[in-house]
Amino acid sequence: MIYFLESPKSPYINVAARLKIMSRSEFEDSSRQTRDVTINIRATQSQRDLIDQAAHIQGKSRSEFMLESAYQKAQDALLERTFFGLDEQKYQEFVALLDAAPQPNAQLHHLLTTQSPWD
């Protein structure tokens, strides 16, 4: 479950209750419903041409492509602002882990010291 935490001492608020986040299948199901709200935007010719090209490649109309893209971007923006909720003890443990010195990690060391194939 995803939580929004305004401060370490504030009550936790369930993001799912505050945001109507839909999965891709739920979004597609909702797109079959009657749409009763209009969204108008202005674009340059080159922006519209690029959007049209991408929509065509995906087999969608410009409106379908733009709405799905904008909806996904809106979800991403909102979810980036969410945090997971912890009680005070778990929060202190989490902070202690963040503040602790990193533990040796042989796999990470190998990854960072191995020459890339393209070098």
Side-chain angles (χ1 to χ4, degrees):
M1 187 172 288
I2 301 170
Y3 291 94
F4 179 79
L5 179 61
E6 292 177 351
S7 74
K9 303 260 188 227
S10 74
Y12 305 129
I13 302 166
N14 185 332
V15 171
R18 293 190 65 183
L19 305 173
K20 179 60 177 146
I21 304 295
M22 288 188 256
S23 68
R24 179 174 296 276
S25 62
E26 288 174 317
F27 178 82
E28 289 168 355
D29 289 344
S30 73
S31 68
R32 292 183 190 94
Q33 297 173 357
T34 302
R35 296 181 184 161
D36 57 354
V37 177
T38 301
I39 301 172
N40 294 310
I41 60 172
R42 295 198 180 276
T44 65
Q45 182 68 44
S46 62
Q47 289 171 323
R48 189 183 79 177
D49 292 346
L50 183 67
I51 291 167
D52 287 348
Q53 184 179 5
H56 177 74
I57 288 170
Q58 291 191 357
K60 298 178 182 180
S61 69
R62 179 188 309 140
S63 293
E64 289 171 327
F65 179 82
M66 290 179 68
L67 184 57
E68 186 177 312
S69 299
Y71 188 85
Q72 182 61 52
K73 187 69 174 175
Q75 279 188 329
D76 293 346
L78 293 172
L79 291 173
E80 285 177 3
R81 297 185 52 92
T82 60
F83 301 91
F84 50 92
L86 300 171
D87 61 30
E88 187 63 30
Q89 179 185 350
K90 293 288 186 188
Y91 177 75
Q92 293 303 327
E93 291 173 19
F94 177 69
V95 170
L97 288 170
L98 290 176
D99 291 341
Q103 298 297 314
N105 184 324
Q107 292 174 327
L108 181 60
H109 178 75
H110 177 71
L111 175 67
L112 296 176
T113 56
T114 302
Q115 186 175 1
S116 302
W118 53 84
D119 287 337

